[in-house]
Amino acid sequence: MITGASSGLGFEMAKLFAKDGYDLAITGSSDRIFEAAETIRELGVEAYPHKADAAAYEGVEGFWDFVSDLDRPVEAAVLNVGIGIGGGSFLETSLEDEMRLISINITGTVHLAKRVVHHMVPNSRGKILIVSSISATTPTPYETVYGPSKAFGFAFAESLREELRETGVTVTALLPGATDTNFHANAGMGDTQIGSSSKNDKELVAKQGYEALMNDIDHVVGGDEKTKKEAEDNRTTSETEKAAIHAEKTRP
Ligand SMILES: NC(=O)c1ccc[n+]([C@@H]2O[C@H](COP(=O)([O-])OP(=O)(O)OC[C@H]3O[C@@H](n4cnc5c(N)ncnc54)[C@H](OP(=O)(O)O)[C@@H]3O)[C@@H](O)[C@H]2O)c1
């Protein structure tokens, strides 16, 4: 099962699972999820699309009910859905939008993870991939709430991984660098340096996440060598310095 699979990284990962013969339950908030299912079926597997709002409790629970009704073991769960909000400082952005971001990126991830863990642990098998971000490794001014929401995802994944170590269920975090999806445009970041700069290839990033999941790696930075070096450098650069560097990339 994959959340946020209508486009971008979720859709790319869906195609990788399909090529390896996995049937897929996928969700997104628009009718594009049904088109994604058509494409996946062309790869020779079954795809079960479900349209639901990941910002709503009923949306998340509804997707889990949909998956449960298939009455099949969930081999892998990719908790990928996430949104960004940029385009202004915290003083200027909308509280309503930020509460929605927290509902999707944090609350919804915890909600679905709870259902998935309760399903997988009794089976003594399963793989969980949580899509975080390189933003988890730095303060993110002008995406003031986004980066911290992704830091949550990273720490949550590593915490859960340790707890589940003896259960047969693995947890992996994917930390993509800026990637060529609809993400920045949807986040209102078209007129920022990062929004208009060249980005990592989504097929490459999805493949790195997929391989890390399959090989039981705790986390992987998604992207080219420059992206991986940036994440490495972030381990030893001060938070204030990283904040200033990030602001140059994200200030409208
Ligand atoms: N692209 C990057 O630069 C980048 C970098 C680091 C991390 N990430 C992370 O990667 C993940 C995937 O993002 P992406 O880059 O692939 O972005 P994307 O192309 O915008 O895809 C987002 C997906 O989430 C779905 N979605 C959005 N809002 C939803 C909602 N309320 N309910 C249900 N589904 C919803 C979208 O489907 P619909 O259109 O059908 O709603 C779409 O399938 C996110 O968690 C993001 O934080 C991305």
Side-chain angles (χ1 to χ4, degrees):
M1 50 170 274
I2 307 182
T3 66
S6 338
S7 64
L9 290 170
F11 181 55
E12 294 306 319
M13 275 188 272
K15 288 191 283 185
L16 293 171
F17 277 103
K19 282 177 189 154
D20 279 348
Y22 288 86
D23 293 335
L24 285 149
I26 54 173
T27 184
S29 71
S30 70
D31 287 340
R32 281 190 295 271
I33 198 67
F34 302 109
E35 292 163 34
E38 283 302 321
T39 309
I40 291 164
R41 284 188 199 114
E42 284 165 16
L43 296 170
V45 297
E46 193 46 80
Y48 304 95
H50 182 75
K51 181 174 152 183
D53 181 7
Y57 184 93
E58 311 77 53
V60 178
E61 194 67 13
F63 179 53
W64 180 250
D65 288 344
F66 175 78
V67 171
S68 299
D69 287 346
L70 296 173
D71 199 22
R72 297 177 57 179
V74 177
E75 290 283 335
V78 180
L79 309 186
N80 162 72
V81 64
I83 62 164
I85 296 173
S89 69
F90 189 66
L91 200 56
E92 298 159 326
T93 46
S94 134
L95 175 61
E96 196 183 328
D97 289 349
E98 274 149 357
M99 299 302 265
R100 189 170 164 76
L101 180 153
I102 290 167
S103 298
I104 296 172
N105 296 11
I106 300 182
T107 313
T109 300
V110 173
H111 182 164
L112 200 52
K114 184 71 90 181
R115 301 293 181 242
V116 167
V117 165
H118 276 279
H119 170 83
M120 286 180 173
V121 170
N123 293 340
S124 304
R125 61 181 288 148
K127 299 176 188 304
I128 301 171
L129 181 68
I130 294 180
V131 179
S132 168
S133 169
I134 196 170
S135 295
T137 67
T138 175
T140 57
Y142 301 101
E143 303 175 280
T144 335
V145 180
Y146 174 72
S149 79
K150 291 282 137 177
F152 175 88
F154 183 24
F156 178 61
E158 293 283 1
S159 306
L160 201 51
R161 178 182 175 83
E162 172 61 21
E163 284 182 10
L164 299 180
R165 206 150 49 84
E166 307 292 334
T167 65
V169 178
T170 67
V171 185
T172 297
L174 169 62
L175 280 62
T179 305
D180 62 347
T181 67
N182 302 327
F183 176 84
H184 290 94
N186 289 344
M189 297 178 70
D191 67 345
T192 62
Q193 192 197 98
I194 201 164
S196 56
S197 66
S198 70
K199 300 193 180 51
N200 287 294
D201 174 26
K202 58 181 183 254
E203 289 179 29
L204 169 74
V205 174
K207 188 163 181 286
Q208 289 167 331
Y210 184 76
E211 285 175 356
L213 177 73
M214 291 303 169
N215 293 306
D216 188 17
I217 310 291
D218 72 307
H219 75 273
V220 64
V221 174
D224 58 13
E225 286 310 311
K226 189 167 162 250
T227 303
K228 288 180 185 290
K229 181 167 186 319
E230 185 186 329
E232 193 57 37
D233 290 348
N234 280 350
R235 294 157 70 106
T236 50
T237 308
S238 74
E239 302 307 309
T240 47
E241 201 179 326
K242 286 187 289 190
I245 293 168
H246 193 89
E248 289 309 309
K249 298 186 209 166
T250 50
R251 188 181 287 115

